[in-house]
Amino acid sequence: MSLSQSFQPDDDVLVVRPGKWTLIVVTLLRGETLRFSELKRHVGGISQKMLTTTLRDLERDGFVTRKIFATIPPRVDYELTALGLELLQLADSWRVFAARNRAHVEAARRQFDAAGGEPVIRLIHPA
C-alpha cells in the first residue's frame, strides 16, 4: 500500500495536529485532574491564550474533558479521557525518544546553523 492510499486528506480522524504545548499538557494531566490555574503554573512560559487554545483543541479531539463549577471565581478542571491516556503513552514514547537522541539533534542543529541555515549538499555520482 502506498502512502497516498494510506492517508487521504479527508480523513480528519487521522489528523491530530499537536502544538508546541500539547504533549506537555497531556503529560501534566497524567493520573490527575488539574485546574486551569494549576496547569498554567506548571507549564512555564505558556500564555493564558495559548493554554486555552491547547486545552480546547485537546477537548475537541476527545483527549481531555472539562468540568466547569459555578463558583466565584469560576473553577475549571481538566482531566484526560481514555483516548487522552492513550495519547499519554505516545507522549511518553516521544519523551524517551527525545532524551535518547538529544545529543544527535543538538549536533545536527549546530551543523545546520554553522552552514548558515543551508543544508549540506552531497553530490552523488552514479556508478
Side-chain angles (χ1 to χ4, degrees):
M1 179 177 346
S2 72
L3 283 178
S4 62
Q5 292 171 328
S6 300
F7 298 102
Q8 298 299 322
D10 56 343
D11 287 341
D12 284 348
V13 169
L14 298 177
V15 179
V16 176
R17 296 177 196 96
K20 176 180 179 179
W21 303 103
T22 301
L23 298 179
I24 294 169
V25 169
V26 167
T27 301
L28 284 172
L29 289 170
R30 174 193 311 277
E32 64 181 321
T33 300
L34 292 175
R35 293 180 177 185
F36 183 92
S37 59
E38 292 172 318
L39 283 166
K40 175 94 171 72
R41 188 170 39 253
H42 290 305
V43 183
I46 191 170
S47 68
Q48 183 166 333
K49 180 180 178 184
M50 184 52 66
L51 180 56
T52 298
T53 300
T54 300
L55 288 165
R56 282 189 184 152
D57 289 346
L58 287 168
E59 183 179 12
R60 180 175 184 255
D61 289 341
F63 298 119
V64 170
T65 59
R66 173 176 49 138
K67 294 179 187 169
I68 303 170
F69 297 88
T71 60
I72 304 216
R75 176 179 155 189
V76 182
D77 289 353
Y78 294 89
E79 66 182 326
L80 293 177
T81 62
L83 190 60
L85 290 171
E86 195 169 333
L87 180 60
L88 178 62
Q89 292 174 352
L90 288 171
D92 286 342
S93 295
W94 181 259
R95 184 183 47 76
V96 169
F97 169 85
R100 186 176 60 239
N101 293 289
R102 177 181 215 102
H104 298 291
V105 171
E106 289 173 347
R109 288 177 179 169
R110 282 191 301 276
Q111 181 181 3
F112 186 86
D113 293 346
E118 294 296 323
V120 175
I121 298 172
R122 293 185 187 99
L123 297 176
I124 301 172
H125 299 283

